[in-house]
Amino acid sequence: MPELVFFSGTMDCGKSTLALQIGHNRSARGLQGVIFTRDDRAGEGKLSSRLGLVTEAVEAGEGMDLYAYLVGQLSQGGKADYVIVDEAQFLAPDQIDQLARIVDDLGMDVFAFGITTDFRTKLFPGSQRLIELADRIEQLQVEALCWCGARATHNARTVGGEMVVEGEQVVVGDVNRPSEEVGYEVLCRRHHRRRMTSAAARAGALSPDVLPVNQG
C-alpha cells in the first residue's frame, strides 16, 4: 500500500542526504520520481545535502497545488512512481493535504523530509499537518550533536553570533554561517533553554577567572 511517510529530525541530521539516497535507489530500479522542495539552502529548485550533493527539484512555492501539478505532468504523458518532498516544514497545511491526496488518489508513495519545530521550539504548520496525516513518522537515526556532545533536539537561530528567540518563523539560513549573518545551530534542550550556543560557551571559557581578594 502506498504511504505518506514523514522523516523528521533537527537540522544537520542527514534528512536531505536520505532524500537523495531514496531517489537514487528508486532510480536505479527504473522508477521515476518527482522531487519538490522549498527554500533550499542551494537556491530555488534545488535539493542539496551538506555533504555536497545537489539535484534539480521543483520549487513548491506558496500557493502551488502539488496534486494539480502532478496530475498535469501525468496528463501530458509524464511518468511518476513516487514523490519526494524536502524542507516539508515550509509547506502550507493545505499543501500537506495535497500530498495525502497524491497517496490516496494516485497510489504513489510520498516521502516528506522536514524539521518538526522552529527556533522557538514551536511546531511548523506544515510539520504539524504531517504529524496529523502521515501514515508513518520516522525519526532519523543519525543524531546531530550539541556542542556539549549531547544529542541535539532543538534548532537555534543566531544573529551576529547570539541566539535569538523572536522573529519571523521562516528565515533561510544554515549552520556554520559567519557570525554576522543569520545562522542556525543545533542544541540540546538544556543549552537551548539557557541560550548557550557554542560561541557563548567559548566566550565563557575564555573569560578570565576572578581571583579571590585577600582582606587585610
Side-chain angles (χ1 to χ4, degrees):
M1 292 290 291
E3 290 184 307
L4 172 57
V5 186
F6 179 32
F7 294 89
S8 68
T10 61
M11 298 181 72
D12 214 17
C13 72
K15 295 183 301 301
S16 298
T17 301
L18 180 57
L20 289 163
Q21 185 68 55
I22 286 177
H24 170 76
N25 290 351
R26 280 159 177 72
S27 177
R29 298 296 179 268
L31 301 176
Q32 295 183 28
V34 173
I35 300 175
F36 293 109
T37 190
R38 176 85 171 267
D39 293 336
D40 188 273
R41 68 184 75 85
E44 184 173 323
K46 303 287 184 182
L47 192 170
S48 66
S49 164
R50 291 189 180 87
L51 297 182
L53 305 172
V54 183
T55 192
E56 297 297 320
V58 178
E59 184 73 14
E62 184 177 349
M64 179 181 182
D65 188 323
L66 308 184
Y67 177 83
Y69 175 89
L70 202 58
V71 169
Q73 293 293 107
L74 295 172
S75 65
Q76 295 174 20
K79 181 183 178 184
D81 300 299
Y82 63 91
V83 173
I84 289 174
V85 186
D86 199 30
E87 306 293 358
Q89 73 273 6
F90 295 145
L91 298 184
D94 63 333
Q95 291 176 312
I96 304 302
D97 288 354
Q98 294 157 15
L99 296 180
R101 189 179 179 191
I102 290 171
V103 175
D104 296 340
D105 294 358
L106 301 181
M108 297 181 193
D109 284 316
V110 174
F111 306 101
F113 298 79
I115 299 167
T116 306
T117 57
D118 65 16
F119 70 105
R120 304 166 300 181
T121 71
K122 305 296 184 182
L123 284 169
F124 282 99
S127 298
Q128 179 177 334
R129 193 61 178 146
L130 274 166
I131 291 170
E132 294 166 348
L133 291 183
D135 297 294
R136 183 158 50 94
I137 299 173
E138 298 283 349
Q139 187 77 27
L140 266 68
Q141 297 303 307
V142 178
E143 294 184 349
L145 298 179
C146 178
W147 60 264
C148 69
R151 178 173 176 264
T153 54
H154 291 66
N155 305 293
R157 178 184 293 172
T158 59
V159 176
E162 296 186 3
M163 181 175 161
V164 296
V165 293
E166 295 182 356
E168 295 182 14
Q169 186 175 51
V170 179
V171 176
V172 178
D174 201 0
V175 296
N176 301 320
R177 285 288 179 90
S179 61
E180 66 273 10
E181 298 181 11
V182 173
Y184 290 89
E185 182 175 349
V186 289
L187 300 173
C188 64
R189 185 183 63 225
R190 180 168 60 123
H191 287 125
H192 191 280
R193 288 180 60 247
R194 295 178 179 178
R195 303 188 190 182
M196 184 170 287
T197 63
S198 57
R202 285 195 300 269
L206 293 174
S207 297
D209 293 330
V210 178
L211 299 176
V213 178
N214 292 327
Q215 298 294 332

